[in-house]
Amino acid sequence: LVITVVFMVVEFLGGLWTNSLALLADASHMLTDAATLGLSLFAVWLIRRPADSEKTYGYFRAEILAALINGATLLMIALFICWEAYKRFLQPEDIKGLEMLCIAFLGLLANLVSARILYRRRDESLNIHGAFLHVMGDLLGSVGAVVASLAIIFWQAFWVDPVMSSLVSLLILLSAWKLVRDSVRVLLEGKPSHVNLAAMELELCKVTGVKSVHDLHVWTLTSGMHAMTCHAVVEGENRRQEVLEQLVHISREQFDIRHTTIQLEGDDPC
């Protein structure tokens, strides 16, 4: 967060000084990164709070909300930069290439450090993954600014500046869309992508004594934490505890579902 804030100011002032849209675009993106990292940090703190009578599942969804906000801001900024790049492409402006190169290179180093910090834990949650995507967007922006500054220095190709900004924005757009899609799927209680309901129902029905399974629901509470409820029709009364344990075991070991609620029903229709 500190690295991002410091170089956001550096790139913003540098963009005004050199008249580089690539630097200003990267600085704008870093502004949202500062908010994103702050929001992500707050969400990490919030989800550690214990469940209570009002929030019986705790505050796990806070990180999904943070990821959704991060993805939405990325989408808006990427579209805004594309629009600004289009206007700059139609009417290129003079840019101080050497100064732009120095600032862009410093930004590249800073973003490499930030990306390294988040890289190892990016798969732990959508929240951290969203923060990582923001930093990677900055990293790509810095690479684009370096390439554009070199083109300006050696060939006076001022049009490269908006072109690189557009390419980086399109890459950010794709990543942001995936983040928003995954966040919305969790908030709408969508099925986890790794679970095949038909295959799960088939495996549960293989348990000796289980005649059928119905009202099977699987959803995600937060990243890596899935829940399941179902009704299982079983034969007889003697082996119910054993059947229940086997159903829970299959859910956990084969489908990575740790929170299960299974209601056993008799095979008597009355």
Side-chain angles (χ1 to χ4, degrees), residues 11 15 19-28 81 88 95 100 104 141-142 144-146 148-149 160-162 164-165:
E11 287 205 333
N19 197 32
S20 167
L21 179 62
L23 285 181
L24 289 174
D26 201 28
S28 299
I81 293 173
R88 184 72 70 93
I95 299 170
M100 175 184 172
S142 296
V146 168
S149 61
V160 176
D161 182 60
M164 292 306 301
S165 300

Side-chain angles (χ1 to χ4, degrees), residues 118-126 128-129 132 223-224:
L118 293 171
Y119 175 78
R120 289 174 294 179
R121 304 189 63 180
R122 70 193 188 284
D123 294 328
E124 292 184 12
S125 76
L126 278 176
I128 297 178
H129 187 65
F132 175 72
S223 302

Side-chain angles (χ1 to χ4, degrees), residues 78-94:
L79 291 172
F80 173 75
I81 293 173
C82 284
W83 172 248
E84 290 298 315
Y86 171 72
K87 293 193 295 184
R88 184 72 70 93
F89 183 75
L90 293 180
Q91 191 172 358
E93 299 180 12
D94 290 341

Side-chain angles (χ1 to χ4, degrees), residues 178-190:
K178 183 178 183 298
L179 183 62
V180 169
R181 182 195 64 193
D182 291 345
S183 301
V184 170
R185 182 173 61 191
V186 172
L187 291 174
L188 292 179
E189 310 287 356

Side-chain angles (χ1 to χ4, degrees), residues 198-207 247 250 254-255:
M200 186 175 187
E201 182 177 345
L202 183 62
E203 289 298 320
L204 294 176
C205 287
K206 288 180 180 179
V207 174
L247 292 174
I250 290 173
Q254 296 188 31
F255 299 94

Side-chain angles (χ1 to χ4, degrees), residues 62-239:
E63 73 152 10
I64 305 301
L65 289 172
L68 178 61
I69 293 171
N70 292 343
T73 54
L74 274 172
L75 285 175
M76 290 187 293
I77 285 178
L79 291 172
F80 173 75
I81 293 173
C82 284
W83 172 248
E84 290 298 315
Y86 171 72
K87 293 193 295 184
R88 184 72 70 93
F89 183 75
L90 293 180
Q91 191 172 358
E93 299 180 12
D94 290 341
I95 299 170
K96 299 177 180 178
L98 183 60
E99 294 86 344
M100 175 184 172
L101 176 62
C102 294
I103 296 169
F105 185 72
L106 289 175
L108 177 61
L109 293 178
N111 289 320
L112 282 171
V113 173
S114 297
R116 180 182 175 83
I117 292 171
L118 293 171
Y119 175 78
R120 289 174 294 179
R121 304 189 63 180
R122 70 193 188 284
D123 294 328
E124 292 184 12
S125 76
L126 278 176
N127 181 32
I128 297 178
H129 187 65
F132 175 72
L133 285 180
H134 270 269
V135 171
M136 285 304 297
D138 282 336
L139 184 61
L140 290 173
S142 296
V143 171
V146 168
V147 172
S149 61
L150 290 173
I152 291 168
I153 291 171
F154 290 106
W155 299 291
Q156 297 295 301
F158 297 111
W159 57 269
V160 176
D161 182 60
V163 168
M164 292 306 301
S165 300
S166 299
L167 291 176
V168 170
S169 295
L170 290 175
L171 292 175
I172 295 172
L173 206 60
L174 293 175
S175 298
W177 172 248
K178 183 178 183 298
L179 183 62
V180 169
R181 182 195 64 193
D182 291 345
S183 301
V184 170
R185 182 173 61 191
V186 172
L187 291 174
L188 292 179
E189 310 287 356
K191 176 186 68 68
S193 58
H194 74 280
V195 175
N196 183 312
L197 282 183
M200 186 175 187
E201 182 177 345
L202 183 62
E203 289 298 320
L204 294 176
C205 287
K206 288 180 180 179
V207 174
T208 303
V210 176
K211 295 186 66 176
S212 64
V213 172
H214 63 96
D215 288 334
L216 175 61
H217 301 282
V218 183
W219 70 98
T220 301
L221 292 173
T222 189
S223 302
M225 185 178 295
H226 313 295
M228 179 271 278
T229 63
C230 75
H231 293 217
V233 178
V234 298
E235 297 176 320
E237 300 286 336
N238 298 330
R239 299 183 57 255

